[in-house]
Amino acid sequence: MLPQIKRLGLAFAIFICLFLVARHLLVPKTFGDKGHFRAASIEDNAAMPMKYAGKEGCIGCHDDMIEKKAASPHAKINCETCHGPCLQHTLAPDTVKPLKPKGREFCGKCHSRNIARSTKNIVQIDLKEHNPEQICTECHNPHDPWENLK
């Protein structure tokens, strides 16, 4: 057998051994038990404190807004997308207030002109050209954006 073949075979054997040792040390014990993830992560995630109330948490007190939003272009967007996590607000509504979106930049996260974004479902505007001195909510109610423009 040629000496370079022996050296190449030895190098491959060493590489394979190092790979197996590294894999044994780096791959979590429960990886692959329930799918292509670490099975223990299910319990880890379940133990994390909840932050979001979900739409159901809003309905009890804000059914008027839910109704108005249901007929608007924002109907499929969860309240907490704009107002942030609200579980604590649902537990103590008098002391914990939800985020009140402000400024053009906030609305611009979804509505600023972007050629990569579909114009079929999202109205896009040029923030520099479209009423640059005004805050969006002065003309548009986010729960019913066309309300003042009808």
Side-chain angles (χ1 to χ4, degrees), residues 96-138:
V96 180
K97 299 296 178 190
L99 171 72
K100 190 167 187 172
K102 292 182 182 172
R104 297 174 62 77
E105 294 76 27
F106 183 85
C107 297
K109 288 179 183 179
C110 296
H111 292 287
S112 64
R113 189 163 309 225
N114 182 342
I115 60 170
R117 200 179 287 140
S118 170
T119 57
K120 181 180 176 187
N121 298 321
I122 301 172
V123 174
Q124 295 183 23
I125 55 123
D126 186 344
L127 287 175
K128 293 176 186 168
E129 297 292 323
H130 182 75
N131 300 324
E133 302 299 320
Q134 284 187 295
I135 296 173
C136 303
T137 54
E138 288 175 359

Side-chain angles (χ1 to χ4, degrees), residues 4-64:
Q4 61 267 35
I5 300 294
K6 288 181 185 177
R7 284 192 296 260
L8 190 58
L10 179 63
F12 274 127
I14 290 171
F15 174 77
I16 290 170
C17 288
L18 287 174
F19 173 79
L20 291 174
V21 168
R23 185 179 186 285
H24 176 73
L25 295 173
L26 297 175
V27 173
K29 300 282 185 237
T30 60
F31 181 81
D33 289 355
K34 295 183 180 180
H36 196 74
F37 59 92
R38 185 176 58 88
S41 68
I42 296 170
E43 290 82 25
D44 292 348
N45 288 333
M48 293 178 75
M50 290 185 59
K51 295 180 182 180
Y52 291 90
K55 185 177 180 179
E56 297 75 27
C58 306
I59 289 173
C61 300
H62 305 285
D63 55 343
D64 57 330

